[in-house]
Structure formats: C-alpha cells, structure tokens
Amino acid sequence: MDWTLARRAKRLNPSVIREILKLTERPGIVSLAGGLPAAEGFPVEALREATARVLAGQPREALQYAASEGHGPLREQVAADLAARGLRIAASQVLITTGSQQGLDLVGKVLLDPGSEVAVEQPTYLGALQAFASSEPRVVALAGDDDGPRPDAIAAARGARFAYLLPNFQNPSGRCLGAARRDAIVDAALAAGVPIVEDDPYADLWLDAPPPAPLAARAGDAAIYLGSFSKVLAPGLRVGYLVAPKSLYPKLLQAKQAADLHTPGFNQRIVHEVLASGMLPAHLDALRTRYRIHRDAMQAALERHLGVFGTACRWQRPAGGMFFWVELPEGIDAAALLPRAVDAGVAYVPGAAFYAAAPRANTLRLSFATVAPSRIDAGIEALARVLREAWAPAQLPLRRGAVASALH
Ligand code: PMP
C-alpha cells in the first residue's frame, strides 16, 4: 500500500543521538555520547518500598484510569518543592506529564501553528526541536554571548509565540545562567511581549552551588515551566510536569487528554510515595557526589589530553547537569571526525544537531554521567589522538614549529 504521509510526519527525522547511540553499542567503546543518567544512581530500594506501599495501600485506585491533571498529592508536592526554589504557584497550575518531553510536545501543539515563530538558544535541546517540528514552526536562533542568550536578542524576537529557554546546566552546553542575566532576559521578554517556555530538568543536579531562581519566578504568567523526575529519580518512571498560567492550563490539559488521557497513575503514586518518605535530600546529596567525581574526572582528562591544543580547543567546566560542551579547533568537523573516533574507541555527539541555524560544526557534547572516571580518561585520550591526526595536517604547513612542539 502506498501510504500518504501527513506533512508534519515528513518533517520528523530520526534523532541524531539515537543513530549515534546505535554506533556505540560495540563493546569496548567509551560512549560519552548518551544523555542517560547514571543507572547506579537510581534509588532502587526506595522505589521498591514505595511501590510495595502503593500496592498495599490503594492498589485498585493506583491501577485505575486517573485524572488527566495528575495525582493530587503529587501536584501539591511539586508546588511545595517549587516554592522552596522561589517559584510560587498553585498546585492547580501543575499538570503532571509523561516525562517533560510530553510537556514540550503539548506546548508545541497548543501554541504553534505552521509558520509561527519560536525563538531558541544556540545551541539548544534537540528533543525540543523535534517536539516542536511537527507543528511546523519557523525556528529562529537567539544570539548569545558567554553569559547565555542576549536580552537584546529576546527583545528582537518580538512576535515569537515563545522563547524556549534552558537556564540551568543546559543540554547540551552545560551552561548555567547567572542571576543578573536571568533578570535581564525576563525583563526584555516582558517588555517585548515574548512568553517564555522554561525547560528545567537539571536544576537539582547542581554540583557547586544551587542555581538562581527560575525565570518563571520573575516572569509570572508570562512563563510555562517544565520539570522532570527523570534525572533525580529515574527516567523509566516517565513522570515530569509543567506549570502553566491559569489562562493556558485548560488547553494544555485538553491536549494531554487527546495524547494519553493521563500520565500513569501508578507511577505518579510511586513518585509521590518516594518523595513523601523524605529520602530525596540524602539521595540528591549522594547523586551530586557521584556526578561531581565524574565531572571532575572529565575536567582533568580534558586538561590532560586536550591541553596540547592550547586555545584551539575550548570548554567550560559545567557547574551541574551531565554535559561538557567542547569547541574543537576551527575547521575540524566533529561529525566527520566521529567514525574515526569510534574506531579509536570513543563516541560523542557532534554539536551541529543542536543548532536551529548556522550550526557550528567544530563543537561536540560529552556526557560525564554514566562512564567510570578511569574510562572517561581513556575516552578523552582517544579523542585527543584522532583530533591530533585530523588537526596537525591542516596546521603543519602554516605553523609547523608551533604545532610540532605543542603535540609532544
Ligand atoms: N528537556 C531536556 C533539556 C532534557 O535534557 C530532557 C532529557 N534528555 C528532557 C527535557 C526530557 O526529559 P524527560 O521526558 O525524561 O522528563
């Protein structure tokens, strides 16, 4: 049969990351490509006990169809946790979603028409670009500097349906916006009438100091805020949430009803039960300790092995989250280099896929979350090896002396 695809389906592409992950399933590869949290960090015992309590307490309610808005006590809990972070909202504004990825999909469905403008950071979260793509928007890139998206770029996005922003330990760049930049961005957005969609799954994964308050705390009903339990508990639960202004909430709820009726009530009750047990602060402490060790191992490995490239290779030590963002020497295409890197035993995600426009081919994303520190070092060493081979021939005719000494 010759099926005729809808226009929106033609725009759907396989995730670049998933394609790369297939490549990296070969044994022996140090994969710094994945975006998965560390499985060793999943609170298995606490989840086992919480599940038993849910099944012992109200098993039939837990296994029944449930309210589309989400499990009431979990919505209350989310509102209380956000208040502690400076975001004061009512529990009635919380919509529990099937991962925050569903939140992005619902936002796209409710706010975007074909051709409507959506403003994104450069680089930005690939999964959001995918979620919005089916609404066929015109994606415009926000100019930025070392401190994040520039307020004047937000002002210039006047007319956009929303600006999609990731202030905390951004996927993919790891960057965290400072308080002053947050304020300036929100003020610019309010002045220009550009609503904000704030995606914040990494807030609790701070490694040095808690991040400043969310953008939504200042933006009020000019913001939708998305959160997730994927990185702090486990992504297999598929429990996330969005917080919407009262005026928008019913539409998002209706879109959710059309999508899946409700987020699994069983999982929501398990999440609520586990949070109510009071285990989260100690769990987060342990998680941060684990991620800090990994982050520091990657920073040390990068210094050790990419240091020879001097300022031609640049990265910033992320203050949280799961990712390093590395700029390779100009002229090196990280996607073209990947097959050689995989042959050498390391995988990463080329950065170009994370750009809505004018991709920077010499960038890549490295995850420090899942790989053991000793393997992180081996992976970065392999990366440095293929990089030297790719870079040196390009440089030698011009700067033979400088490069030859730098490489030894
Ligand atoms: N937003 C960002 C920035 C992410 O990195 C992810 C997970 N990779 C998500 C949203 C989706 O997370 P989940 O659906 O598991 O909550």
Side-chain angles (χ1 to χ4, degrees), residues 35 98-102 104 125 164 166 171 199 201-202 227-228 230-231 235 238-240 323:
T98 301
S100 56
Q101 189 67 28
Q102 184 184 47
L104 293 169
Y125 172 50
Y164 169 66
L166 304 106
N171 178 3
D199 188 9
Y202 299 102
S228 175
S230 288
K231 319 294 173 184
R238 306 311 298 130
V239 180
F323 305 111

Side-chain angles (χ1 to χ4, degrees), residues 239-286:
V239 180
Y241 54 89
L242 64 75
V243 176
K246 292 195 171 89
S247 60
L248 215 50
Y249 191 95
K251 284 293 168 203
L252 289 158
L253 179 63
Q254 287 151 24
K256 171 147 177 82
Q257 282 165 351
D260 65 355
L261 300 181
H262 64 89
T263 294
F266 187 43
N267 298 18
Q268 293 187 57
R269 283 168 190 257
I270 292 169
V271 170
H272 173 253
E273 198 56 49
V274 95
L275 297 179
S277 75
M279 58 70 81
L280 196 62
H283 170 65
L284 284 175
D285 264 358

Side-chain angles (χ1 to χ4, degrees), residues 364-386:
L364 56 87
R365 189 192 77 178
L366 301 172
S367 164
F368 58 81
T370 49
V371 176
S374 60
R375 305 243 305 147
I376 287 179
D377 190 79
I380 302 293
E381 187 183 14
L383 173 63
R385 215 164 43 237
V386 291

Side-chain angles (χ1 to χ4, degrees), residues 105-275:
D105 184 57
L106 300 179
V107 164
K109 282 182 175 148
V110 166
L111 293 176
L112 299 175
D113 288 311
S116 50
E117 206 169 280
V118 50
V120 302
E121 299 173 9
Q122 287 276 72
T124 190
Y125 172 50
L126 185 58
L129 294 177
Q130 281 187 307
F132 302 151
S134 63
S135 303
E136 305 177 44
R138 201 159 64 78
V139 181
V140 297
L142 292 165
D145 56 27
D146 285 348
D147 295 328
R150 288 205 326 253
D152 60 327
I154 308 271
R158 187 183 290 272
R161 293 283 169 91
F162 59 83
Y164 169 66
L165 301 171
L166 304 106
N168 289 328
F169 323 120
Q170 197 228 38
N171 178 3
S173 72
R175 188 227 51 230
C176 183
L177 295 183
R181 178 57 62 100
R182 289 178 197 234
D183 289 355
I185 284 174
V186 172
D187 292 348
L190 292 176
V194 178
I196 291 171
V197 172
E198 178 175 21
D199 188 9
D200 195 15
Y202 299 102
D204 280 323
L205 285 191
W206 56 263
L207 301 177
D208 297 332
L215 301 172
R218 190 176 180 92
D221 71 359
I224 295 173
Y225 177 90
L226 298 113
S228 175
F229 292 102
S230 288
K231 319 294 173 184
V232 294
L233 293 176
L237 292 162
R238 306 311 298 130
V239 180
Y241 54 89
L242 64 75
V243 176
K246 292 195 171 89
S247 60
L248 215 50
Y249 191 95
K251 284 293 168 203
L252 289 158
L253 179 63
Q254 287 151 24
K256 171 147 177 82
Q257 282 165 351
D260 65 355
L261 300 181
H262 64 89
T263 294
F266 187 43
N267 298 18
Q268 293 187 57
R269 283 168 190 257
I270 292 169
V271 170
H272 173 253
E273 198 56 49
V274 95
L275 297 179

